[in-house]
Amino acid sequence: MQALFLDGPVGPLFAIHHAACARRREPRGLVYLPPFAEEMNRSRRMAALQARRLAACGIDVLLLDPFGTGDSAGDFSDARWEIWREDVRAAMAWLVERCDGPVGLWGLRLGGLLAAEVAAEGFPRPTRLLLWQPVVSGDRFLTQFLRLRVAAAMGGGGSAEKAADLRARLQDGEVLEVAGYGLAPALAEAIACRHLGDTLGGLAGLRLDLLEISSREEPTLAPATQQLLETLSSHKPAPLARAVGGEPFWALQEITLTPALLDATEALFCS
């Protein structure tokens, strides 16, 4: 494992490289794109454990902190969707040189939506796309994120706020602090206008693996995901989608592990 800084388009990008412990005949790499805001920190343990397991079976993995997040340059309020896309391309180019083989993308939550968009743009073209619990609707996700501020205000006895009012303030150009993160209007607008179904429609020929966590006794995909897959019925090769049992570790205060997700991912890449 090596911690390093990459040359990003607008500033240094922190990343952790898990080098393959055993070389395959055909070297492969995978760039991980984290979820949004505090979900990123809550997911670091799971991402690190998965990266180690993939490296052990011969896959180079690069865990990326996009601009304005984690230990990379910039404040969160400086982050923009367009910058993040370029950050991903820089990370892919770096890993291609090191592993001397094709590189795929692995995204969690909003990172999955970002990974899908970069893959659809096709430059550079990833060889594979792994999505962990991807955000399907950016608009719905933004509303849920703003509700964190609404809930905090209610719990602290502050003045009542509504998500709709907060969105109006964003549209007026105000940077809003939500759960300790400064959300810029430009980033909020970019997130809100994205939908995973629209993006995945342009990924013909790319292998797509989608894994979700379910708390049901018999894990099942969420209804939104099932609808998404229906729109991809003609996608070739057919997407592989599976739900595994576990807890939504990205949403919990305590560090939580989901072994079934680690096992399912390792089986996809290392079997």
Side-chain angles (χ1 to χ4, degrees), residues 89-105:
R89 295 188 180 100
M92 291 178 66
W94 186 93
L95 192 57
V96 165
E97 291 182 0
R98 270 67 184 181
C99 76
D100 194 28
V103 169
L105 290 174

Side-chain angles (χ1 to χ4, degrees), residues 15 17 19-20 38 54 61 106 141 151 182 190-191 211 220 224 231 263:
H17 179 215
E38 193 58 26
L54 292 174
V61 182
W106 159 30
F141 175 82
I191 292 172
L211 296 176
T220 56
T231 68
D263 293 342

Side-chain angles (χ1 to χ4, degrees), residues 39-187:
E39 290 186 2
M40 176 182 186
N41 295 323
R42 295 170 180 168
S43 304
R44 284 194 184 276
R45 180 62 176 162
M46 277 290 291
L49 289 174
Q50 190 69 78
R52 292 173 190 169
R53 291 176 64 162
L54 292 174
C57 68
I59 299 173
D60 281 271
V61 182
L62 187 69
L63 308 178
L64 178 68
D65 287 2
F67 178 78
T69 73
D71 292 313
S72 290
D75 295 327
F76 194 85
S77 58
D78 299 324
R80 299 292 184 272
W81 191 263
E82 295 75 16
I83 295 175
W84 285 352
R85 287 204 310 251
E86 295 303 317
D87 291 344
V88 177
R89 295 188 180 100
M92 291 178 66
W94 186 93
L95 192 57
V96 165
E97 291 182 0
R98 270 67 184 181
C99 76
D100 194 28
V103 169
L105 290 174
W106 159 30
L108 169 60
R109 300 281 290 146
L110 193 69
L113 191 54
L114 177 62
E117 182 166 318
V118 173
E121 290 173 345
F123 182 76
R125 177 76 166 181
T127 56
R128 190 168 181 175
L129 183 62
L130 169 64
L131 303 180
W132 272 10
Q133 202 80 29
V135 168
V136 174
S137 168
D139 186 70
R140 187 180 305 119
F141 175 82
L142 178 61
T143 297
Q144 293 170 345
F145 183 66
L146 293 176
R147 284 174 180 163
L148 295 177
R149 172 164 169 153
V150 174
M154 293 176 61
S159 58
E161 293 182 306
K162 296 181 181 179
D165 297 332
L166 296 177
R167 295 188 72 152
R169 289 166 63 179
L170 285 167
Q171 291 173 359
D172 288 339
E174 182 179 349
V175 175
L176 292 181
E177 183 173 324
V178 182
Y181 293 86
L183 177 62
L187 180 58

Side-chain angles (χ1 to χ4, degrees), residues 131-134 136 196 208-230 232 239-246 250 261 264 268:
L131 303 180
W132 272 10
Q133 202 80 29
V136 174
L196 187 59
L208 169 62
D209 299 303
L210 192 156
L211 296 176
E212 278 192 348
I213 291 175
S214 171
S215 59
R216 294 174 177 267
E217 184 174 347
E218 292 188 9
T220 56
L221 295 170
T225 305
Q226 295 178 20
Q227 294 176 7
L228 173 67
L229 292 173
E230 290 177 3
L232 298 175
L240 186 152
R242 178 186 172 192
V244 299
W250 60 87
L261 182 60
L268 287 174

